[in-house]
Amino acid sequence: MEIVDRLRNNRHGILSLTIRDVSVLYSAYMSFIENGGLFIPTDKAYQIGDEIFALISLLDEAEKIPIAGTVIWITPRNAHGKKAQGIGIQFNDRENHAKPVIEKYLSSH
């Protein structure tokens, strides 16, 4: 399976994110990004264009949702306005399992 091979070759490892509240999901989700996107708080060092993999525990979902994406922005440590350190990722369209689930939750609240 392609995603498994890419996970093995990922130099950053797999990120993990738990979102248990719809308001947090609403703040993190980027519907305006082509294919959707998500802000992931992390202190790991990334560069624009890095490919990332994450497992998202989302609200009432029984299983974690795998996400493959590309870093499209970086919020550094000690960013102006006390913004959380992390990365903004754009979902890869070919492996986008998260977007329909996220949008289902956001449209129902």
Side-chain angles (χ1 to χ4, degrees):
M1 187 160 149
E2 180 182 340
I3 194 166
V4 173
D5 293 336
R6 290 168 49 205
L7 285 171
R8 286 188 191 121
N9 296 324
N10 182 10
R11 64 187 169 101
H12 293 295
I14 300 172
L15 291 171
S16 181
L17 178 65
T18 299
I19 298 177
R20 293 194 172 114
D21 184 83
V22 173
S23 64
V24 174
L25 178 61
Y26 184 77
S27 296
Y29 182 60
M30 298 178 290
S31 62
F32 54 89
I33 303 294
E34 184 178 351
N35 302 324
L38 197 64
F39 176 78
I40 300 178
T42 182
D43 59 359
K44 291 183 179 180
Y46 289 90
Q47 294 187 12
I48 300 295
D50 280 351
E51 204 167 294
I52 70 99
F53 301 94
L55 291 173
I56 308 298
S57 296
L58 189 60
L59 298 157
D60 299 328
E61 294 298 305
E63 295 186 20
K64 292 182 179 185
I65 301 168
I67 294 177
T70 303
V71 176
I72 57 172
W73 97 68
I74 299 166
T75 303
R77 184 172 39 144
N78 300 323
H80 181 72
K82 298 183 180 180
K83 293 182 178 163
Q85 180 179 359
I87 56 175
I89 63 159
Q90 179 179 25
F91 300 149
N92 291 348
D93 59 345
R94 65 186 176 276
E95 297 172 35
N96 190 348
H97 305 288
K99 183 177 179 178
V101 176
I102 290 170
E103 291 182 348
K104 173 189 77 169
Y105 280 107
L106 294 178
S107 68
S108 66
H109 289 87

